[in-house]
């Protein structure tokens, strides 16, 4: 895998080639739906459901097993709850799915930890 150079913006590590780091830092545009010091959430550019939000840690970490401080999972799920409670469409009341693809066989295409929050249609099981 291509090694990415590490820069720091406002003291925080960012990976210069990582699109989700660029979205978190504001270098790249995205439809941001939630932001705090630790977590950023934005609409997926290729939505797989009527509501499709990506939730990421603001600081770069590749995937679940690279996480050292597990507090970030609490921060992410707290943000998910805020997004769900603030939603005006009513989609989440019918149900939703949270999923994190990890590694190539897991379907991960962007190597910055993220959770997909999907809603607004009937989800299928098993997933493809
Ligand atoms: P993965 O395939 O790694 O689980 O999820 C990556 C997700 O990021 C995909 O659903 C893809 O559509 C989304 N994505 C990739 N590039 C961009 C981008 O530049 N902006 C936004 N908003 N989403 C992106
Ligand atoms: Zn990143």
């Amino acid at each position: 895998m291509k090694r990415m150079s590490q820069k720091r913006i406002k003291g925080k590590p960012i990976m210069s080639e990582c699109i989700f780091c660029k979205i978190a830092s504001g270098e790249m545009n995205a439809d941001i739906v939630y932001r705090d010091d630790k977590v950023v959430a934005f609409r997926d550019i290729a939505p797989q459901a009527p509501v499709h939000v990506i939730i990421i840690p603001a600081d770069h970490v590749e995937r679940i097993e690279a996480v050292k401080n597990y507090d970030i999972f609490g921060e992410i799920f707290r943000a998910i709850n805020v997004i769900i409670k603030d939603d005006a469409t009513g989609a989440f009341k019918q149900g939703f799915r949270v999923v994190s693809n990890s590694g190539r066989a897991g379907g991960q295409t962007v190597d910055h930890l993220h959770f997909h929050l999907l809603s607004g249609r009937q989800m299928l099981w098993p997933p493809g």
Side-chain angles (χ1 to χ4, degrees), residues 1-107:
M1 190 190 304
K2 192 175 159 218
R3 202 164 161 72
M4 292 186 283
S5 59
Q6 201 172 15
K7 291 196 293 190
R8 296 184 85 82
I9 288 186
K10 291 182 189 158
K12 292 185 171 185
I14 67 146
M15 293 293 177
S16 57
E17 307 293 322
C18 172
I19 53 174
F20 285 0
C21 279
K22 287 181 179 172
I23 288 173
S25 71
E27 191 184 336
M28 219 171 114
N29 275 338
D31 185 355
I32 306 277
V33 298
Y34 176 91
R35 177 192 284 283
D36 63 31
D37 281 355
K38 307 241 166 57
V39 177
V40 181
F42 51 90
R43 296 200 188 277
D44 197 294
I45 203 166
Q48 300 301 310
V51 182
H52 187 171
V53 175
I54 301 282
I55 304 96
I56 65 169
D59 293 344
H60 185 87
V61 60
E62 257 190 28
R63 49 200 259 192
I64 289 171
E65 65 270 40
V67 170
K68 295 200 171 64
N69 182 352
Y70 299 147
D71 291 352
I72 191 59
F73 295 117
E75 300 290 343
I76 285 169
F77 277 86
R78 198 177 58 74
I80 287 172
N81 268 288
V82 172
I83 294 163
I84 288 169
K85 283 170 190 159
D86 285 355
D87 172 65
T89 71
F92 292 110
K93 288 195 178 73
Q94 305 302 314
F96 58 89
R97 178 170 291 172
V98 177
V99 64
S100 183
N101 300 325
S102 202
R104 292 295 168 264

